[in-house]
Amino acid sequence: HWMMSEDKDGIRILLANRTLLETAFPHWEHLVGFVQGEMKALDFKRQHVPHAASAYTRQGHNALAQRYSFDDAHSIIGGITKSFASYWESECASMKEALVAMDKSHTGRVPLSKFYSSGLDSDWRFGESETYLRELGALDETNSWVGKQVIITNYIQAASNCIVSAPHYLVCCVNDCESLLDEIEEAVGAPVAEPSELLAVVGNLSSQATLSDDPPRDLKGSLTNQLEQIAAAHGGRVPLHGRLFAQWLHYAFPRECPFPHKAGTANVLTPTEFGSGYIAKEEEMKEHAAAVNTSNFSAVAPGEEQQQWMSQWTAEEELIADYTGSGLRAPWETSGRLAWYGGAALLVATLLGAVGSGRKAGAGSALLPMHGKAHFV
């Protein structure tokens, strides 16, 4: 019930058919073993550490009894809910390893055709519909050369891969980017940093997704330019807790950091919440799988590779922290002297506009750009 949440029909069917439960429910034998391990752990505490076991069982209960009280069951369930995420992380790692193996260009993306081809041939996990992937923010449709691609990190973090979907919380895969950001925060020691400082810190971080993985991407070129542009938009320094830096981290560590979509463009919907269309039809999967793109980035003209690689980049910023005390300023905020001159120029322009406002404008008069447009509030 806990893992299947509100899927009452599915729960009823599985409970009525033990054979179906053991074959259709992913890793059922391992899950049973995990629960039995929690029960044995409680037994060990009751028998070998009586003073510690008192916190887990009711008063006066016989530690050698083979039956479990309600308090015992409550304790076991509490242990399962607290440790289940770390237990299930091995499944997340296995899924990521399968996706990384299909990422031949090292962009943190898998062509949708390969994604569905794997789902048809061997891996039952890769079967979400194209519409559902788009809704989850796991589909990149901006690369005209490669076509539609599944973003590995966004897919791993998607609600469809959360093993538990309770009404008030989800149990999902670990976000590998959090540890990288923790290291950056510790090294910088401030909410903002200059591009040169960040490049030095990030250049020393390890992003090994697997033991056979390549070293971190070279930060020169497009990544350096983008980081400098982020800083220019904030008065020379980069805010660490904003959408643009998160986007930069995604391209620096494409297999660890998810792509940060603009607010409102992706939704955290479980399969049950999305509806029956969350699973792709076999015909749809076969149609995509038949169009597997065998090209690679080495065939792209020089200079075009970088443009195609970062095709999903957008310049919209969204700060998720208060930076009022950090001295962060926008590029149009200049020194007091320049601001004074700007104000004086604006005052002169306003006065001249007032003097000339009584003149009749001819057909070719230069008016404000918004003249003649309707504005609705």
Side-chain angles (χ1 to χ4, degrees):
H1 286 263
W2 180 56
M3 297 178 65
M4 298 187 66
S5 186
E6 299 177 358
D7 188 3
K8 296 180 180 180
D9 292 337
I11 294 173
R12 178 179 51 80
I13 293 173
L14 291 178
L15 290 178
N17 189 333
R18 183 77 181 186
T19 303
L20 180 62
L21 175 64
E22 295 176 352
T23 56
F25 203 96
H27 307 293
W28 175 253
E29 292 183 0
H30 297 288
L31 293 174
V32 171
F34 172 69
V35 174
Q36 291 175 344
E38 291 291 325
M39 296 169 63
K40 292 179 180 178
L42 179 61
D43 289 338
F44 180 86
K45 289 181 179 179
R46 292 196 305 187
Q47 296 175 17
H48 296 83
V49 193
H51 66 279
S54 61
Y56 298 88
T57 60
R58 70 180 187 273
Q59 295 295 327
H61 182 68
N62 183 3
L64 299 179
Q66 296 299 315
R67 299 181 62 183
Y68 295 93
S69 66
F70 175 83
D71 292 335
D72 293 335
H74 188 270
S75 174
I76 293 172
I77 292 173
I80 291 173
T81 56
K82 290 180 181 179
S83 60
F84 189 76
S86 57
Y87 166 78
W88 193 256
E89 188 59 27
S90 60
E91 176 64 19
C92 297
S94 173
M95 180 167 50
K96 180 177 180 178
E97 184 178 353
L99 291 169
V100 167
M102 293 185 277
D103 177 24
K104 302 301 182 182
S105 57
H106 301 274
T107 61
R109 286 159 171 74
V110 174
L112 188 60
S113 54
K114 289 186 178 180
F115 180 81
Y116 281 144
S117 178
S118 177
L120 288 170
D121 295 339
S122 57
D123 210 314
W124 54 268
R125 294 170 292 195
F126 307 143
E128 290 88 346
S129 67
E130 181 180 333
T131 305
Y132 187 36
L133 291 172
R134 185 180 298 111
E135 186 76 12
L136 293 172
L139 194 63
D140 180 1
E141 302 178 81
T142 62
N143 194 315
S144 59
W145 183 75
V146 178
K148 298 175 183 179
Q149 302 175 93
V150 175
I151 310 172
I152 294 177
T153 47
N154 291 62
Y155 177 76
I156 295 290
Q157 291 289 303
S160 61
N161 289 312
C162 296
I163 188 60
V164 175
S165 302
H168 304 294
Y169 64 91
L170 301 174
V171 178
C172 308
C173 298
V174 171
N175 185 348
D176 294 329
C177 195
E178 291 182 355
S179 60
L180 296 174
L181 184 58
D182 287 344
E183 291 188 53
I184 295 173
E185 291 173 336
E186 183 177 356
V188 172
V192 295
E194 295 184 357
S196 58
E197 182 181 7
L198 287 173
L199 289 171
V201 172
V202 174
N204 291 324
L205 296 181
S206 174
S207 66
Q208 295 283 317
T210 62
L211 293 177
S212 60
D213 205 9
D214 291 337
R217 182 183 297 278
D218 186 0
L219 300 179
K220 298 178 182 179
S222 296
L223 285 172
T224 298
N225 294 336
Q226 293 290 5
L227 193 62
E228 291 174 346
Q229 289 181 23
I230 297 173
H234 294 288
R237 292 184 293 175
V238 178
L240 301 185
H241 305 99
R243 180 184 170 275
L244 287 181
F245 185 61
Q247 187 175 221
W248 188 85
L249 281 177
H250 166 70
Y251 284 104
F253 303 99
R255 293 176 175 177
E256 287 73 33
C257 298
F259 180 85
H261 292 279
K262 292 178 287 186
T265 57
N267 295 306
V268 183
L269 295 177
T270 64
T272 303
E273 292 170 337
F274 184 80
S276 59
Y278 81 93
I279 285 290
K281 297 180 179 179
E282 186 175 357
E283 296 76 13
E284 176 187 356
M285 296 176 68
K286 288 182 177 180
E287 181 180 353
H288 282 285
V292 173
N293 194 334
T294 57
S295 302
N296 53 62
F297 277 103
S298 61
V300 185
E304 187 179 349
E305 177 180 347
Q306 293 290 337
Q307 182 179 358
Q308 292 288 347
W309 167 52
M310 303 183 74
S311 60
Q312 203 173 5
W313 182 281
T314 58
E316 288 82 2
E317 177 67 289
E318 294 176 9
L319 299 179
I320 60 174
D322 184 7
Y323 284 89
T324 54
S326 62
L328 199 68
R329 57 185 175 85
W332 58 82
E333 298 175 329
T334 54
S335 65
R337 182 182 296 272
L338 291 177
W340 185 90
Y341 283 124
L346 180 61
L347 177 60
V348 172
T350 304
L351 292 175
L352 291 176
V355 172
S357 61
R359 300 176 184 174
K360 184 177 180 181
S365 298
L367 300 175
L368 294 177
M370 69 284 294
H371 175 72
K373 293 184 178 180
H375 294 269
F376 299 93
V377 179

